[in-house]
Amino acid sequence: MAMFEKILKRVLLAAVSLFAIITITFFLMNIIPGDPFMSEKATEETRAILIAKYGLDKPLIVQYGRYLQNLFHGDMGTSYVLQKGRAISTIVTESFAVSVRLGLKALIAAILIGVPLGCIAGLFKGKAADGAIRVISAIGISIPGYVLAAVLMLVLAVNLKALPVSYGKPGGEVMPIIVLAVYPTCYLMRLTRASILEVLGQDYLKTERARGMGEGRVIFIHALKNSLIPIITYLGPLTASILTGGFVAESVFNVPGLGRYFVNAISARDYTLIMGVTVFYAALIITMNLICDILYQVVDPRIQMA
Amino acid sequence: MKNILSLQLPVEKGDYDKLPADFYKTQTSQTDEIGFWRSSWRRLRENKIAMVSLVIILAIIVFAVLGPILSPYSYDQQVHGDENLWPCLKHPFGTDRLGRDLMVRCMTGTRISLLVGVVSAIIVMIIGSIYGAISGLLGGKADTIMMRIVDIIYSVPEILLIVVIKLVIDQPLTNLVDNVPFFHPLQKLGSGLIAIFIVYGCLYWVGMARIVRGQVLQLKEMEYVTASDALGAPNGWLIRQHLLPNCMGQIIATMMMQIPSAIFTEAFLSFLGIGVSAPMASLGSLTSEALSGINRAPYRMLFPAVLISLIILAFNLFGDGLRDALDPKMKKR
């Protein structure tokens, strides 16, 4: 069956991509000169013991094999710098729960605001509402996340004192969620608008109108349904943009999520942690993209999968 | 026997060998090229949003290019006694805690940000269009393999890989630029900036490659291309004369969209502390530096933040308009 074959191909591509990013990250991280214990005030002897303990004295290819094997069992190694000796899988599972709680809320907000506004813009093309929505969405995708975060903090928290500065107090979630949601919301608006406009020009709508179907029914039954389908494909990139947005929102507002860990790991040059989080995020994004593509394929079998 | 149809070509069967070597040129060169650019320009001029964006972009370029020349300060000059000043007549954008004039720093920062955008767009264009054109022209197995590679790179989340690659190549690159005489001229650019170019060059070209390949596949089927191919035009000539000019619209539109996205990504890298290297400043690094003192000195954030948002906005809107103008058939967004 053609459909099954296509899906199988897509799954294979996802697997290869994931494998590629694991491999690239592993070897890149090992190019960096020195070992994680360089900065320690340990004697040569203890350093040698530590290196032997973590298997860093073995040839690179052996280390790589072991890394893959461990990864397969959900073991991503140990953090050497930031949280000495703690397993990265524990750090990831603990802090990712926080990120997910924020991210899901932002995701829902983005869909609930972005899609309807995009529909309005598309249906009222050229009118004032369309103009306003287009301007807002263009501005929204042009402001870097941390600038938005700083402005929100300055206006809402410091000057108006409407919301607490730090996460954890009641209402502390609001600002991080706004920062996370703005870019995807604006992107969804543009996408929905474009999709609606494309469907509105299709011949089958003309046919329905010619057959005497009311304008309201044409739009709600045919146009909206068909124009919302392509938006499914954006859900994968949407996840990715909320994750990267999380780096910014979580560090600015001090949310103990995985994004903040990643940023801290970068400034502390905690390479194993960077590697762990990268692989974890990559797996997540690739899986989301995979699910979206398959879903899209099932809904609209005409589409050629990448 | 002369067929009526063959009148169009002054050749008879078996005569091909006697033709002048550049016969294909006189028969199938493109003549309506000017018409395409002129009509695109007319469509673009009618788009008010795009024209306003263009004016903003030009104004910002003037600001960035002429500003530092006219300013009495240099971007890394520390004026003693002028530390932590709010905007005033002497320093319209204020100064930072080392007494450096923020206006001139914003000007050079704009230079760097624009440089990041434009150079990465050019890198992406070169790699992407060559790769895409080769893949599309070769076709068959080679095309399949080359496109599988593109698919893999495409489905890898690029922002993560950018961070990882940037982290790794920073140090070796600095050593290379500082110690190998051959690379000394690059010192002025700073290794941080070069690393960013390399990273973008590694990852961002795939979108362009896909677009160019798609275009080439379409064009390959066109009769006039088949005609010049049949008349013996060499491959290089086919590419220069038919394929590239016809892809140009899409290539330019994609390039324009690459500029704001590169500037945006550089700002994100600066936020992570791995953007351009100090004392050089991009708008991204200026805004992220201002982040720590946002309560005491919000003016430090204000100017670079407004500038960077304005640049990205103007390029986004102009890119949209340009794409619509260059490709009226596919008015899609």
Side-chain angles (χ1 to χ4, degrees):
Chain A
M1 198 176 137
M3 169 96 97
F4 178 74
E5 211 171 278
K6 273 188 204 166
I7 291 177
L8 195 73
K9 252 188 184 166
R10 185 63 188 76
V11 172
L12 223 77
L13 176 66
V16 173
S17 306
L18 188 59
F19 180 72
I21 199 166
I22 292 173
T23 310
I24 293 170
T25 323
F26 180 85
F27 285 103
L28 279 178
M29 286 297 169
N30 276 285
I31 292 175
I32 299 166
D35 58 68
F37 314 110
M38 291 263 277
S39 56
E40 306 216 3
K41 291 186 204 102
T43 55
E44 276 302 302
E45 227 170 297
T46 31
R47 246 186 70 189
I49 293 171
L50 276 171
I51 288 176
K53 183 187 163 198
Y54 290 112
L56 300 177
D57 51 348
K58 304 254 165 45
L60 202 56
I61 196 78
V62 177
Q63 285 187 44
Y64 174 62
R66 253 187 53 177
Y67 183 76
L68 278 185
Q69 207 178 2
N70 290 341
L71 207 58
F72 201 67
H73 296 117
D75 174 10
M76 298 196 268
T78 330
S79 164
Y80 294 125
V81 188
L82 221 51
Q83 296 217 336
K84 227 165 277 171
R86 265 188 90 195
I88 288 168
S89 48
T90 332
I91 299 179
V92 167
T93 39
E94 265 179 30
S95 55
F96 186 58
V98 179
S99 299
V100 166
R101 270 205 299 278
L102 275 185
L104 272 183
K105 284 174 194 162
L107 190 78
I108 292 168
I111 294 173
L112 287 185
I113 299 169
V115 173
L117 285 182
C119 287
I120 291 172
L123 294 177
F124 297 97
K125 187 186 176 218
K127 303 271 166 56
D130 178 34
I133 289 171
R134 282 179 75 186
V135 168
I136 292 171
S137 65
I139 294 174
I141 60 166
S142 302
I143 300 177
Y146 59 92
V147 171
L148 186 71
V151 171
L152 282 180
M153 197 141 93
L154 209 60
V155 175
L156 291 180
V158 178
N159 285 344
L160 294 177
K161 303 223 187 307
L163 290 167
V165 179
S166 62
Y167 177 80
K169 300 203 183 86
E173 274 191 334
V174 176
M175 285 195 290
I177 290 176
I178 296 177
V179 171
L180 284 179
V182 163
Y183 186 89
T185 307
C186 295
Y187 203 94
L188 269 177
M189 281 188 217
R190 286 163 67 100
L191 209 67
T192 314
R193 178 178 179 276
S195 179
I196 293 252
L197 286 183
E198 203 183 319
V199 170
L200 284 181
Q202 298 283 327
D203 286 339
Y204 61 83
L205 290 188
K206 271 185 213 152
T207 316
E208 293 301 334
R209 285 197 191 103
R211 285 175 57 203
M213 194 184 239
E215 189 61 26
R217 284 194 66 185
V218 169
I219 286 174
F220 281 98
I221 296 187
H222 293 284
L224 285 188
K225 197 183 78 190
N226 284 309
S227 55
L228 292 187
I229 292 173
I231 293 168
I232 295 176
T233 43
Y234 181 58
L235 288 176
L238 188 71
T239 319
S241 83
I242 284 191
L243 286 180
T244 42
F247 297 163
V248 172
E250 288 175 12
S251 2
V252 173
F253 296 107
N254 245 332
V255 182
L258 192 52
R260 195 186 64 169
Y261 264 109
F262 189 63
V263 175
N264 288 347
I266 289 170
S267 38
R269 300 290 191 268
D270 189 342
Y271 292 116
T272 43
L273 189 53
I274 297 175
M275 203 159 106
V277 179
T278 303
V279 169
F280 177 74
Y281 272 165
L284 195 70
I285 294 171
I286 289 173
T287 316
M288 280 305 288
N289 281 332
L290 178 67
I291 293 173
C292 293
D293 277 5
I294 292 178
L295 215 64
Y296 193 35
Q297 180 70 38
V298 172
V299 179
D300 189 351
R302 290 170 307 173
I303 295 302
Q304 204 68 44
M305 260 200 272
Chain B
M1 262 293 261
K2 199 159 187 178
N3 189 316
I4 291 177
L5 287 176
S6 75
L7 282 173
Q8 291 165 344
L9 291 177
V11 216
E12 293 198 16
K13 257 185 197 159
D15 273 356
Y16 288 103
D17 297 338
K18 296 175 205 157
L19 287 172
D22 60 349
F23 179 65
Y24 59 87
K25 283 188 187 166
T26 55
Q27 288 300 310
T28 58
S29 47
Q30 210 171 28
T31 46
D32 62 341
E33 207 174 322
I34 304 150
F36 170 72
W37 295 113
R38 195 172 286 166
S39 64
S40 300
W41 171 237
R42 191 173 304 142
R43 278 192 294 272
L44 187 65
R45 238 182 7 205
E46 280 164 13
N47 188 336
K48 274 190 205 112
I49 299 177
M51 287 321 281
V52 171
S53 311
L54 182 62
V55 170
I56 294 175
I57 292 171
L58 292 176
I60 288 174
I61 291 175
V62 170
F63 171 79
V65 174
L66 292 184
I69 303 171
L70 299 176
S71 170
Y73 313 102
S74 74
Y75 76 98
D76 54 355
Q77 180 186 352
Q78 306 182 0
V79 186
H80 292 291
D82 279 5
E83 287 89 359
N84 290 318
L85 282 183
W86 278 67
C88 55
L89 268 182
K90 198 175 165 199
H91 303 283
F93 288 8
T95 59
D96 64 6
R97 76 199 140 73
L98 296 172
R100 293 179 293 196
D101 179 63
L102 275 179
M103 186 154 102
V104 73
R105 279 180 77 69
C106 279
M107 288 163 173
T108 45
T110 309
R111 270 189 189 179
I112 301 294
S113 289
L114 288 176
L115 194 70
V116 166
V118 172
V119 173
S120 10
I122 293 173
I123 293 174
V124 164
M125 194 235 352
I126 294 173
I127 300 178
S129 51
I130 291 178
Y131 191 97
I134 292 177
S135 181
L137 283 174
L138 288 178
K141 270 224 174 71
D143 179 42
T144 314
I145 294 170
M146 284 174 87
M147 279 302 122
R148 282 292 153 277
I149 295 172
V150 165
D151 286 345
I152 291 170
I153 299 178
Y154 204 80
S155 63
V156 161
E158 76 256 353
I159 195 80
L160 294 168
L161 215 52
I162 284 177
V163 170
V164 171
I165 298 177
K166 181 76 173 57
L167 267 177
V168 172
I169 64 175
D170 252 351
Q171 198 54 46
L173 208 64
T174 314
N175 291 342
L176 200 69
V177 171
D178 288 348
N179 299 335
V180 180
F182 180 71
F183 294 109
H184 277 334
L186 294 176
Q187 243 167 354
K188 224 177 159 189
L189 269 180
S191 57
L193 206 54
I194 300 168
I196 287 176
F197 294 151
I198 295 178
V199 168
Y200 287 176
C202 288
L203 294 175
Y204 274 145
W205 56 271
V206 285
M208 178 72 87
R210 274 188 173 177
I211 287 170
V212 173
R213 170 184 172 267
Q215 201 77 357
V216 167
L217 285 185
Q218 234 177 49
L219 287 168
K220 244 167 67 169
E221 304 304 317
M222 297 282 180
E223 279 84 358
Y224 64 88
V225 178
T226 321
S228 27
D229 192 22
L231 287 170
N235 273 335
W237 192 83
L238 277 179
I239 293 175
R240 273 197 315 276
Q241 197 65 26
H242 292 311
L243 300 183
L244 275 184
N246 280 300
C247 294
M248 234 29 217
Q250 290 229 351
I251 290 178
I252 290 175
T254 316
M255 253 177 93
M256 280 316 271
M257 301 311 273
Q258 181 62 40
I259 294 176
S261 109
I263 296 176
F264 203 85
T265 309
E266 192 279 326
F268 178 72
L269 290 178
S270 286
F271 171 78
L272 296 179
I274 49 177
V276 300
S277 19
M280 201 183 262
S282 69
L283 290 175
S285 66
L286 284 173
T287 33
S288 68
E289 270 168 32
L291 206 59
S292 56
I294 186 76
N295 289 335
R296 282 172 289 104
Y299 64 91
R300 253 179 236 162
M301 165 74 90
L302 178 70
F303 297 105
V306 167
L307 267 172
I308 195 170
S309 307
L310 201 62
I311 291 177
I312 297 173
L313 181 65
F315 271 109
N316 271 334
L317 292 176
F318 181 67
D320 273 356
L322 194 66
R323 188 185 38 191
D324 291 349
L326 288 173
D327 201 355
K329 275 175 296 182
M330 301 209 353
K331 201 164 181 178
K332 234 202 238 176
R333 64 186 50 217

